Amino acid sequence: MVPEVTQAAPPLAASAPAGALPAGLIQRADGVYADLAVPAPLRVAAVNQLFMSHCYFSGLDYGALMKALYDVGPALPPPLPGQPPLLRVANAVASFTPERQALYKTVKMGHGYAEYFFAPIYLDAEELPDGTVLPERQAKLDVDEFVADLWLKGVRFGVDVAAVAHAIGTGKSERITVARELEPAPGQDAVVVEVSQDIHRSDAPRARADGTVDLHSFQNRFPQIKQDMRLLKKLPCVPGLPGYDLGGMPSAPDAPKDLELRHLAGDGTAVVQQDDGEYLVSTKEGFLSVDPKSHRIAITDKIVSKEGVSGRTTGNLELAGGYEEFGDVQELREVHGSDITVHGDVYGNIHSKGGLVLLDRNLVGGNVHNAAGDIHVKGVASGAVLQTRAGKLVLGRAENCVLAGTSVEVGEASNCEIVADEVRIGVAEGCAIAGRNVEIESCGPRKRTEMVIYVLVRDVSQFDQELADLRARSAAFAASNEALQAEIDAISQQPDVRRYLALAAKLRTQELTLTPEQGQHLRKIATAVATEVQTLGKLTQDLQAGQTQYKLLVERSARVAALRAEAAGHARCGLHMVAGDTLVRTMPFQADSGALYHLAAKDIKQRLRGTPAGGEELFSRASGSLDWHLSTHGAAT
């Protein structure tokens, strides 16, 4: 919209002092200044009053004028301390005479632009007061006057002074666009930026501590996030700049879009307002997870991957937490972590520090080790090693595998070496099995591979040796005590000794009182049997000591027997159906030497498939069943 032109004001002096200019404009010796301390509408009114007063700016800086009136253009430097905020816009104010105004033609207004037809112009012949006649002559337009004329015609913004100056300078007849309106400048929507490089993957080869490079492992395939780490920062929205039509009327830009950082905060993250902005930070240590649909960021204890483990996708993995893989683990790939779940096939090696290792499909040719936790394979394990130092193995089917753990449960096993405290198998063919409690529904050989079962019983030979020694010593004391008792009985049966002992016993119990004559007679008897009585006393003393030693040895034997029974513990082997040659033997083991399932796979194979040492044969038949128990007393039933 072009504002209406107001009635002309009285003209200003061409070299007016500072106080003669409208409020908002200041005339100084070095030029005309706009007072930026005055509100912008007053500055516009001051310029309008100047132009309506048949004046214009000589030596106009049009860009500075637009900055002073509409704040369009580069930012201004701050004023010096103690100085008013002024902006120089022109050299001076000059008079715009009616004769000069008549030289300027009408402006053609378009939609958002203004055009002017430039052509050579001539002044009519003129006779001066002194009689001098001036012939018709060519006149020339002025850029500063052109700006003032456009203002008076309603074009108060967007004059292309460079195009106007060029057209005036060439003197050609042409129509050009002399002014354009300014479209609003769009603002900047609020955005989220990453503030940590640690959240990015790095597929560069991992550098080892010795300076070499591991070509099978990536530097940082799955970023691990520390607690209180800044992840994202919100950059607030920036409002746009207004536009102006040719009449200087502003047009507002579209409002920029804002966003809420909290909408991106998932589990393990929080939005925190800090001194330098609003951040999304981690509230715990773990792994970065981004939901592809909601884009929410979470910190999880487990990594979830769908790319598989291979030299192309991830390389070998060494993780501090849990891991869930929906793809395959390729041959020779290593996965180190804890609480590992793989939904694809596994051909490589898995090493877990603890938790559950769950394989949803098959394990072929790879190895699975769990330091403290269970291993479950829902599919088939073939040509693999599965071992846990403290946990259970549960498999549907196993072929040519080594299975070792505290407990092993297998639906079908063939040509496997299995060792555990507890072994439960549905069908076993051609396996070598060792366990303290073994239960098999059906078992037998497979082709040329025999079926061997070892019932693990603790080696209590040290207790047996001690018991034999105690029994031999107690038997020796029993024989010695019997000989002493026989010698005591022989002496005690002598007449004089028997009579003296009977009288002495009655005198001690005061059943008999002797006269002096009788006492004299008793002393004679005592003198006669003194040697025998003295011998009898020594034999009795020796017998009492022997009986005490015998009792101690018997009690010690009972304690050692109890310790032996406790050390031997329980052992059992139950075979529900034997379908082919099957051998069952006991296998003694030392409890102090560690569990058999802690051995390496090759040592387990050698122990179970090698020549048995010690033990006794419990069963060797091609059919039938077996239910053998070792009781707490070490007796087999």
Side-chain angles (χ1 to χ4, degrees):
M1 179 176 109
V2 178
E4 296 181 359
V5 178
T6 59
Q7 186 176 1
L12 298 172
S15 59
L21 296 180
L25 295 175
I26 299 175
Q27 177 72 59
R28 288 188 172 184
D30 61 339
V32 180
Y33 288 82
D35 187 356
L36 302 183
V38 175
L42 294 181
R43 295 197 295 270
V44 174
V47 172
N48 182 64
Q49 182 180 347
L50 185 142
F51 286 146
M52 297 297 294
S53 301
H54 304 294
C55 295
Y56 69 94
F57 291 108
S58 176
L60 174 66
D61 185 343
Y62 189 77
L65 181 65
M66 293 297 99
K67 183 67 178 179
L69 300 184
Y70 307 111
D71 194 22
V72 175
L76 298 175
L80 297 176
Q83 298 293 327
L86 301 178
L87 177 61
R88 189 179 187 278
V89 297
N91 295 335
V93 174
S95 178
F96 193 12
T97 64
E99 294 77 13
R100 291 293 301 176
Q101 292 184 30
L103 298 177
Y104 295 90
K105 301 176 182 179
T106 304
V107 177
K108 181 180 180 181
M109 307 299 294
H111 184 69
Y113 65 93
E115 291 183 345
Y116 187 87
F117 182 75
F118 288 90
I121 56 176
Y122 296 88
L123 296 176
D124 295 334
E126 181 182 1
E127 183 178 354
L128 299 178
D130 59 358
T132 305
V133 178
L134 299 177
E136 185 183 44
R137 60 196 181 277
Q138 187 174 1
K140 190 173 184 180
L141 302 181
D142 181 78
V143 176
D144 295 339
E145 291 178 348
F146 195 89
V147 171
D149 182 70
L150 288 180
W151 183 285
L152 295 175
K153 293 173 179 175
V155 180
R156 300 184 174 185
F157 181 86
V159 178
D160 188 350
V161 293
V164 171
H166 181 267
I168 292 175
T170 59
K172 296 180 180 179
S173 298
E174 59 180 341
R175 182 180 298 277
I176 68 169
T177 299
V178 294
R180 293 183 183 276
E181 67 180 16
L182 178 65
E183 294 290 338
Q188 179 179 336
D189 296 340
V191 295
V192 174
V193 296
E194 299 172 354
V195 293
S196 174
Q197 291 298 322
D198 293 337
I199 67 177
H200 286 284
R201 289 180 173 179
S202 174
D203 291 343
R206 177 180 298 171
R208 297 190 180 98
D210 59 0
T212 61
V213 175
D214 183 2
L215 297 178
H216 300 291
S217 302
F218 295 162
Q219 190 73 28
N220 185 22
R221 181 62 181 179
F222 297 104
Q224 301 185 27
I225 305 300
K226 301 294 184 182
Q227 186 174 356
D228 298 326
M229 177 186 288
R230 290 178 172 182
L231 304 176
L232 303 176
K233 180 180 181 180
K234 175 184 175 181
L235 298 182
C237 55
V238 179
L241 299 176
Y244 290 91
D245 62 13
L246 297 180
M249 300 301 294
S251 56
D254 294 335
K257 297 180 181 179
D258 200 3
L259 59 83
E260 293 290 340
L261 195 57
R262 59 185 176 86
H263 293 160
L264 299 178
D267 295 337
T269 64
V271 177
V272 177
Q273 183 66 46
Q274 299 182 352
D275 295 339
D276 55 344
E278 188 177 12
Y279 291 90
L280 181 70
V281 301
S282 59
T283 59
K284 66 178 184 179
E285 186 173 352
F287 299 94
L288 188 71
S289 175
V290 181
D291 190 308
K293 294 183 179 179
S294 66
H295 303 292
R296 292 170 67 92
I297 295 179
I299 306 300
T300 62
D301 297 327
K302 176 183 288 188
I303 297 173
V304 179
S305 171
K306 298 183 179 180
E307 299 175 325
V309 179
S310 67
R312 178 183 58 84
T313 57
T314 64
N316 295 336
L317 294 177
E318 189 165 350
L319 309 170
Y323 180 70
E324 184 173 6
E325 176 59 66
F326 284 84
D328 296 341
V329 177
Q330 295 298 325
E331 188 177 2
L332 302 179
R333 294 302 85 171
E334 301 280 341
V335 178
H336 294 261
S338 61
D339 195 16
I340 299 173
T341 300
V342 181
H343 299 285
D345 293 323
V346 176
Y347 303 92
N349 304 320
I350 294 178
H351 306 270
S352 178
K353 302 181 183 69
L356 172 65
V357 176
L358 173 61
L359 308 186
D360 254 351
R361 295 179 63 181
N362 304 316
L363 171 65
V364 181
N367 298 332
V368 179
H369 296 268
N370 196 348
D374 297 348
I375 300 174
H376 289 204
V377 180
K378 293 184 177 181
V380 177
S382 177
V385 175
L386 296 92
Q387 190 168 20
T388 173
R389 298 182 64 87
K392 178 189 293 186
L393 302 183
V394 180
L395 298 91
R397 183 179 174 186
E399 300 175 350
N400 304 305
C401 293
V402 176
L403 310 178
T406 54
S407 175
V408 174
E409 295 182 9
V410 187
E412 299 180 22
S414 61
N415 293 338
C416 294
E417 289 78 34
I418 303 172
V419 57
D421 288 336
E422 304 284 336
V423 179
R424 298 285 184 274
I425 303 177
V427 178
E429 296 180 344
C431 296
I433 301 171
R436 298 194 64 192
N437 188 352
V438 180
E439 184 170 356
I440 303 175
E441 295 293 332
S442 175
C443 62
R446 179 178 176 83
K447 296 181 180 180
R448 297 183 180 180
T449 305
E450 61 181 352
M451 183 72 201
V452 182
I453 301 171
Y454 296 98
V455 183
L456 296 175
V457 294
R458 292 183 179 177
D459 188 355
V460 292
S461 58
Q462 69 275 23
F463 294 102
D464 292 337
Q465 183 177 357
E466 186 175 0
L467 280 174
D469 180 64
L470 291 173
R471 288 167 182 166
R473 291 170 60 190
S474 61
F477 273 105
S480 175
N481 293 339
E482 184 178 354
L484 290 173
Q485 185 64 51
E487 192 172 353
I488 290 172
D489 292 341
I491 296 175
S492 298
Q493 294 302 320
Q494 295 179 13
D496 291 341
V497 175
R498 185 175 66 251
R499 187 167 55 251
Y500 172 75
L501 293 176
L503 290 174
K506 290 180 178 181
L507 289 174
R508 283 195 300 272
T509 60
Q510 297 181 352
E511 295 179 8
L512 180 65
T513 302
L514 300 178
T515 63
E517 293 79 6
Q518 291 175 332
Q520 184 68 26
H521 180 68
L522 182 60
R523 283 191 290 274
K524 290 181 179 179
I525 296 175
T527 301
V529 296
T531 301
E532 288 80 359
V533 171
Q534 183 178 3
T535 301
L536 189 62
K538 184 178 183 305
L539 292 174
T540 302
Q541 184 178 2
D542 292 344
L543 177 60
Q544 291 175 347
Q547 289 174 341
T548 300
Q549 289 295 326
Y550 177 78
K551 181 180 179 181
L552 292 175
L553 289 172
V554 171
E555 292 176 351
R556 174 61 180 168
S557 297
R559 289 196 297 272
V560 172
L563 291 174
R564 180 189 183 280
E566 181 180 356
H570 295 271
R572 177 180 177 272
C573 180
L575 308 181
H576 293 231
M577 183 179 71
V578 176
D581 292 335
T582 300
L583 175 64
V584 180
R585 299 179 57 90
T586 62
M587 178 182 285
F589 70 97
Q590 295 286 346
D592 297 338
S593 62
L596 187 61
Y597 50 80
H598 289 174
L599 297 177
K602 62 177 182 178
D603 295 330
I604 291 176
K605 284 187 175 183
Q606 182 178 2
R607 182 72 65 89
L608 299 185
R609 294 297 187 183
T611 304
E616 61 176 314
E617 184 177 302
L618 304 178
F619 183 90
S620 179
R621 296 172 57 185
S623 62
S625 62
L626 174 66
D627 188 9
W628 180 87
H629 297 264
L630 181 66
S631 68
T632 56
H633 302 292
T637 59

